[in-house]
Amino acid sequence: MPELPEVETIARGLDRAVTGKTVARVRVSLPKVAIAPASERFERALAGETIAAVGRRGKYVVFNLASARRLAVHLRMTGRLIVRQAGYAEPVPYTHVAIAFTDGSGLDFADVRQFGRMRLLAENDPWDADGGIEPLSEGFTSEAFVSMLDGRRTPIKSFLLDQTRIAGVGNIYACEALWEAGIRPSRPSHKISKPARRRLHGAVRSVLQRAIEARGTSVDDYVDAEGLKGGFQNQLAVYGRLGEPCPRCASAIVRTVIGQRGTWWCRTCQK
Ligand SMILES: [Zn+2]
């Protein structure tokens, strides 16, 4: 599933590709993926809209529309947003929503597994993804993170994945940040020392920033809005590296399950 760096990369690509374009018509071929405000039909509601900017909130791509409405897209497992240049009439396979722009280009939402969703939000809709703080925002200070863990008994890895606390961190970057900070993923959050919490805060920000610079991690079928793979899979220390040597101490990486999610870590240097 795309996480913050992948969604950020996709959103930046889309911002370059479709900002300023006006929707001519929309075709929805799988109704459950395209959700409109009550009493509106998605296709009709989106027609005529101009895209003012494309950004990201948590793991959502957010199209800001000229009418002040927003289109929030969650790609889930296999969703893709693909820009179709003018002249390419055929949508890509598994396209459930095809948006045609007035200049002849288009944007397809394709999703093999059909878990992704596009939700059109009314102008005054208070939607804010799942509410967690953006980890690369100014508000996510070291001290804020230190106090977020007070009284939290959940394993630290599960805490990092909770989108109501921190937005956008998923399995890959939780594993990588915990390795970088030298913290065992199953540790109860409140039992982590303050210096270790500060190390983890820095590691979360650092790993996300480096992954954005590398244009995301392609371990499954992630590609960005231009169809390009990311590069951070070549920099992963632990994620998906069962049995391979830890880059810090050369011990074999192990895999356990925490909160039903596969978790890769080093028994020697994560305490
Ligand atoms: Zn190690």
Side-chain angles (χ1 to χ4, degrees), residues 43-71:
E43 293 165 329
R44 205 174 304 143
L46 198 54
E49 278 282 10
T50 297
I51 295 169
V54 187
R56 178 193 59 77
R57 173 75 176 105
K59 296 180 191 173
Y60 291 79
V61 175
V62 181
F63 294 82
N64 295 297
L65 305 171
S67 68
R69 297 195 291 183
R70 292 173 292 169
L71 179 65

Short mmCIF file of all heavy atoms in Angstrom, two decimals, residues 43-71:
data_model
loop_
_atom_site.label_atom_id
_atom_site.label_comp_id
_atom_site.label_asym_id
_atom_site.label_seq_id
_atom_site.Cartn_x
_atom_site.Cartn_y
_atom_site.Cartn_z
N GLU A 43 -20.63 11.62 -11.35
CA GLU A 43 -20.26 12.03 -12.70
C GLU A 43 -20.71 13.46 -12.99
O GLU A 43 -19.93 14.27 -13.50
CB GLU A 43 -20.89 11.07 -13.72
CG GLU A 43 -20.30 9.68 -13.65
CD GLU A 43 -21.13 8.64 -14.39
OE1 GLU A 43 -22.36 8.81 -14.45
OE2 GLU A 43 -20.55 7.67 -14.89
N ARG A 44 -21.95 13.76 -12.60
CA ARG A 44 -22.49 15.08 -12.89
C ARG A 44 -21.84 16.13 -12.00
O ARG A 44 -21.58 17.26 -12.41
CB ARG A 44 -24.01 15.05 -12.68
CG ARG A 44 -24.76 16.09 -13.46
CD ARG A 44 -26.27 15.91 -13.31
NE ARG A 44 -26.73 14.58 -13.70
CZ ARG A 44 -27.69 13.92 -13.09
NH1 ARG A 44 -28.32 14.44 -12.05
NH2 ARG A 44 -28.06 12.72 -13.52
N ALA A 45 -21.58 15.75 -10.74
CA ALA A 45 -21.04 16.70 -9.78
C ALA A 45 -19.63 17.17 -10.17
O ALA A 45 -19.25 18.31 -9.92
CB ALA A 45 -21.02 16.08 -8.38
N LEU A 46 -18.86 16.27 -10.76
CA LEU A 46 -17.46 16.61 -11.05
C LEU A 46 -17.31 17.32 -12.41
O LEU A 46 -16.34 18.05 -12.63
CB LEU A 46 -16.63 15.32 -11.03
CG LEU A 46 -15.12 15.45 -10.89
CD1 LEU A 46 -14.75 16.27 -9.66
CD2 LEU A 46 -14.48 14.06 -10.81
N ALA A 47 -18.27 17.12 -13.29
CA ALA A 47 -18.17 17.74 -14.62
C ALA A 47 -18.17 19.27 -14.50
O ALA A 47 -18.93 19.84 -13.71
CB ALA A 47 -19.33 17.28 -15.49
N GLY A 48 -17.29 19.91 -15.25
CA GLY A 48 -17.20 21.37 -15.21
C GLY A 48 -16.22 21.91 -14.18
O GLY A 48 -15.88 23.09 -14.20
N GLU A 49 -15.77 21.05 -13.27
CA GLU A 49 -14.82 21.49 -12.25
C GLU A 49 -13.43 21.73 -12.85
O GLU A 49 -13.01 21.02 -13.77
CB GLU A 49 -14.68 20.41 -11.16
CG GLU A 49 -15.76 20.44 -10.12
CD GLU A 49 -15.55 21.55 -9.09
OE1 GLU A 49 -14.66 22.41 -9.29
OE2 GLU A 49 -16.28 21.56 -8.10
N THR A 50 -12.71 22.69 -12.30
CA THR A 50 -11.32 22.91 -12.68
C THR A 50 -10.43 22.53 -11.50
O THR A 50 -10.76 22.82 -10.35
CB THR A 50 -11.09 24.38 -13.07
OG1 THR A 50 -11.89 24.67 -14.22
CG2 THR A 50 -9.62 24.66 -13.40
N ILE A 51 -9.32 21.85 -11.80
CA ILE A 51 -8.41 21.43 -10.74
C ILE A 51 -7.48 22.59 -10.39
O ILE A 51 -6.73 23.09 -11.24
CB ILE A 51 -7.63 20.17 -11.18
CG1 ILE A 51 -8.64 19.02 -11.34
CG2 ILE A 51 -6.55 19.82 -10.16
CD1 ILE A 51 -8.11 17.80 -12.01
N ALA A 52 -7.55 23.03 -9.13
CA ALA A 52 -6.76 24.19 -8.69
C ALA A 52 -5.38 23.77 -8.20
O ALA A 52 -4.41 24.52 -8.34
CB ALA A 52 -7.51 24.93 -7.58
N ALA A 53 -5.28 22.60 -7.61
CA ALA A 53 -3.99 22.10 -7.11
C ALA A 53 -4.20 20.66 -6.68
O ALA A 53 -5.32 20.24 -6.40
CB ALA A 53 -3.50 22.93 -5.92
N VAL A 54 -3.09 19.91 -6.62
CA VAL A 54 -3.17 18.53 -6.13
C VAL A 54 -2.16 18.40 -5.00
O VAL A 54 -0.99 18.80 -5.14
CB VAL A 54 -2.85 17.50 -7.23
CG1 VAL A 54 -3.10 16.08 -6.71
CG2 VAL A 54 -3.68 17.76 -8.48
N GLY A 55 -2.63 17.89 -3.85
CA GLY A 55 -1.75 17.72 -2.70
C GLY A 55 -2.00 16.39 -2.03
O GLY A 55 -2.60 15.47 -2.61
N ARG A 56 -1.54 16.30 -0.79
CA ARG A 56 -1.65 15.04 -0.05
C ARG A 56 -2.07 15.33 1.38
O ARG A 56 -1.70 16.36 1.95
CB ARG A 56 -0.28 14.34 -0.02
CG ARG A 56 -0.25 13.05 0.78
CD ARG A 56 1.18 12.59 1.04
NE ARG A 56 1.95 13.59 1.78
CZ ARG A 56 1.84 13.81 3.09
NH1 ARG A 56 1.00 13.11 3.82
NH2 ARG A 56 2.56 14.76 3.67
N ARG A 57 -2.88 14.46 1.94
CA ARG A 57 -3.17 14.49 3.38
C ARG A 57 -3.13 13.05 3.85
O ARG A 57 -3.92 12.22 3.36
CB ARG A 57 -4.55 15.13 3.64
CG ARG A 57 -5.00 15.04 5.09
CD ARG A 57 -4.25 16.03 5.98
NE ARG A 57 -4.77 15.99 7.33
CZ ARG A 57 -4.14 15.42 8.38
NH1 ARG A 57 -2.96 14.86 8.23
NH2 ARG A 57 -4.69 15.43 9.57
N GLY A 58 -2.20 12.73 4.76
CA GLY A 58 -2.02 11.34 5.17
C GLY A 58 -1.69 10.50 3.96
O GLY A 58 -0.80 10.83 3.18
N LYS A 59 -2.44 9.43 3.76
CA LYS A 59 -2.21 8.56 2.60
C LYS A 59 -3.19 8.86 1.48
O LYS A 59 -3.39 8.05 0.57
CB LYS A 59 -2.34 7.09 3.01
CG LYS A 59 -1.28 6.63 4.02
CD LYS A 59 -1.48 5.16 4.37
CE LYS A 59 -0.64 4.77 5.56
NZ LYS A 59 -0.96 3.39 6.01
N TYR A 60 -3.85 10.01 1.53
CA TYR A 60 -4.81 10.40 0.49
C TYR A 60 -4.19 11.41 -0.47
O TYR A 60 -3.50 12.34 -0.05
CB TYR A 60 -6.04 11.08 1.10
CG TYR A 60 -6.94 10.19 1.92
CD1 TYR A 60 -6.61 9.86 3.23
CD2 TYR A 60 -8.13 9.70 1.39
CE1 TYR A 60 -7.45 9.06 4.00
CE2 TYR A 60 -8.97 8.90 2.15
CZ TYR A 60 -8.63 8.58 3.45
OH TYR A 60 -9.46 7.79 4.21
N VAL A 61 -4.50 11.23 -1.76
CA VAL A 61 -4.25 12.27 -2.75
C VAL A 61 -5.48 13.19 -2.71
O VAL A 61 -6.62 12.70 -2.73
CB VAL A 61 -4.11 11.68 -4.17
CG1 VAL A 61 -3.98 12.80 -5.21
CG2 VAL A 61 -2.91 10.74 -4.24
N VAL A 62 -5.24 14.50 -2.61
CA VAL A 62 -6.36 15.44 -2.51
C VAL A 62 -6.31 16.43 -3.67
O VAL A 62 -5.34 17.18 -3.82
CB VAL A 62 -6.35 16.20 -1.17
CG1 VAL A 62 -7.56 17.13 -1.09
CG2 VAL A 62 -6.36 15.22 0.01
N PHE A 63 -7.35 16.39 -4.51
CA PHE A 63 -7.49 17.36 -5.60
C PHE A 63 -8.29 18.54 -5.05
O PHE A 63 -9.45 18.37 -4.63
CB PHE A 63 -8.26 16.74 -6.78
CG PHE A 63 -7.52 15.62 -7.46
CD1 PHE A 63 -7.56 14.34 -6.94
CD2 PHE A 63 -6.82 15.84 -8.63
CE1 PHE A 63 -6.89 13.29 -7.56
CE2 PHE A 63 -6.14 14.80 -9.28
CZ PHE A 63 -6.18 13.53 -8.73
N ASN A 64 -7.68 19.71 -5.02
CA ASN A 64 -8.41 20.91 -4.62
C ASN A 64 -9.03 21.51 -5.87
O ASN A 64 -8.34 21.79 -6.84
CB ASN A 64 -7.45 21.91 -3.96
CG ASN A 64 -6.91 21.36 -2.66
OD1 ASN A 64 -7.67 21.12 -1.71
ND2 ASN A 64 -5.60 21.10 -2.61
N LEU A 65 -10.34 21.68 -5.83
CA LEU A 65 -11.08 22.11 -7.01
C LEU A 65 -11.39 23.60 -6.92
O LEU A 65 -11.46 24.17 -5.83
CB LEU A 65 -12.36 21.28 -7.13
CG LEU A 65 -12.11 19.77 -7.14
CD1 LEU A 65 -13.41 18.99 -7.05
CD2 LEU A 65 -11.32 19.35 -8.38
N ALA A 66 -11.59 24.21 -8.08
CA ALA A 66 -11.79 25.66 -8.13
C ALA A 66 -13.04 26.08 -7.36
O ALA A 66 -13.13 27.20 -6.86
CB ALA A 66 -11.88 26.12 -9.58
N SER A 67 -14.02 25.19 -7.23
CA SER A 67 -15.25 25.51 -6.51
C SER A 67 -15.07 25.44 -5.00
O SER A 67 -16.02 25.65 -4.26
CB SER A 67 -16.34 24.51 -6.89
OG SER A 67 -15.99 23.23 -6.38
N ALA A 68 -13.85 25.10 -4.53
CA ALA A 68 -13.54 24.90 -3.11
C ALA A 68 -13.98 23.53 -2.61
O ALA A 68 -13.85 23.21 -1.44
CB ALA A 68 -14.08 26.00 -2.20
N ARG A 69 -14.55 22.72 -3.51
CA ARG A 69 -14.76 21.32 -3.14
C ARG A 69 -13.42 20.59 -3.27
O ARG A 69 -12.46 21.12 -3.83
CB ARG A 69 -15.82 20.69 -4.05
CG ARG A 69 -17.17 21.36 -3.89
CD ARG A 69 -18.28 20.55 -4.48
NE ARG A 69 -18.21 20.50 -5.93
CZ ARG A 69 -19.11 19.88 -6.69
NH1 ARG A 69 -20.14 19.28 -6.12
NH2 ARG A 69 -19.00 19.88 -8.00
N ARG A 70 -13.38 19.38 -2.72
CA ARG A 70 -12.16 18.58 -2.82
C ARG A 70 -12.52 17.16 -3.28
O ARG A 70 -13.61 16.68 -3.00
CB ARG A 70 -11.47 18.48 -1.44
CG ARG A 70 -10.89 19.79 -0.95
CD ARG A 70 -10.38 19.66 0.48
NE ARG A 70 -11.45 19.44 1.43
CZ ARG A 70 -11.29 19.08 2.70
NH1 ARG A 70 -10.07 18.89 3.18
NH2 ARG A 70 -12.33 18.91 3.49
N LEU A 71 -11.59 16.56 -3.97
CA LEU A 71 -11.72 15.15 -4.36
C LEU A 71 -10.60 14.40 -3.65
O LEU A 71 -9.42 14.61 -3.94
CB LEU A 71 -11.61 15.01 -5.88
CG LEU A 71 -11.71 13.58 -6.43
CD1 LEU A 71 -13.09 12.98 -6.18
CD2 LEU A 71 -11.38 13.57 -7.93
#
